[in-house]
Amino acid sequence: RLTNDGAPRSACSLVPHSSPTRLAALMDRYTVEQEKELTCKEADDAMKADFDFDVLVDGIFAATKATLVAAFLCFAEATKATLVAGACVVCLLAAPTHAFATVQARTSAADATVQARPSAADRTAAYARSVDLWVGGYTVEGTKLSISPGKAPGATESFSVPQECICSAKATENGIFASGANPGNPFLLVATQSDAGEWTAEQTSVGATPPYKATMRFGATAGGVHTAVGSTLNSRGVSTAFSAEQSVIGCAEGEGASACEAVCGKHALPWDMIRRRCGL
């Protein structure tokens, strides 16, 4: 119906009655067998009306399409915003719950730990079962290194103690408290057992010159073979560090438990527990 430039064609021509345009309305006054020539004005008006109607329909369709697209986009954005907001709300609601659950779990674990801790009476009884293993004699073989202020450290030196004795021991809820001696000085010793079953003892000299402290590690065996690591500091500022391998505390080590009578007696320490353990 249109020319190449988009304008309606001129209707100044013979138009068959069967033409599917609005010109058909003008053809009603003619018979089927006839083909009449419409006036140019009548034909052009009809064609223009037909063209305007198609343009109107196309415009309505385009406007409807644009409206639907815009509505869909708005709906999509609104849905996205709603989902994001919903997720944020879920996060906010879940965060306190998660935090509460975490705190509750930690509190429960702490309570379980506290509840699992043996009572004072139970700890005392546990130490009492092994207290006899902490009296007797043992030997010492070690290495030491000394350094003086303003000087380079000297050479390492070996040392040994043929007989040290733990003369007596007492079990308490906080560990085993013992007293012992070597030929040079008496000492105190406190042994404890960790929750993992490891035994550790702290040794502190009494009246020694210079005084010393040592940490003994026995592993899982009360009074067994052990190591000792410690240090001394004399009045001139000379520091000495030492490490030693020490035998099990018992009746036959070194010079034997019978030698402990003299070692303990020299420092007025009772050795009755050694005598009972070793049958002396």
Side-chain angles (χ1 to χ4, degrees), residues 64 68 73 77-78 91 113 121 124 127 150 156 170 200 213 224 242:
T64 302
L68 290 175
L73 292 176
E77 290 297 322
C91 290
T113 300
T124 301
Y127 283 128
T156 56
K170 180 180 180 180
T200 304
K213 289 180 69 68
F242 61 86

Side-chain angles (χ1 to χ4, degrees), residues 36-76:
K36 299 296 183 178
E37 183 177 354
L38 301 176
T39 66
C40 289
K41 184 177 185 308
E42 289 176 325
D44 286 343
D45 288 346
M47 290 291 287
K48 183 176 183 303
D50 190 49
F51 176 75
D52 290 342
F53 177 77
D54 289 342
V55 170
L56 177 62
V57 171
D58 290 341
I60 292 173
F61 177 76
T64 302
K65 179 179 178 182
T67 302
L68 290 175
V69 170
F72 175 76
L73 292 176
C74 290
F75 175 76

Side-chain angles (χ1 to χ4, degrees), residues 7 23 48 145 156 162 177 184 232 258:
L23 296 178
K48 183 176 183 303
L145 175 65
T156 56
F177 287 73
T232 68
S258 59

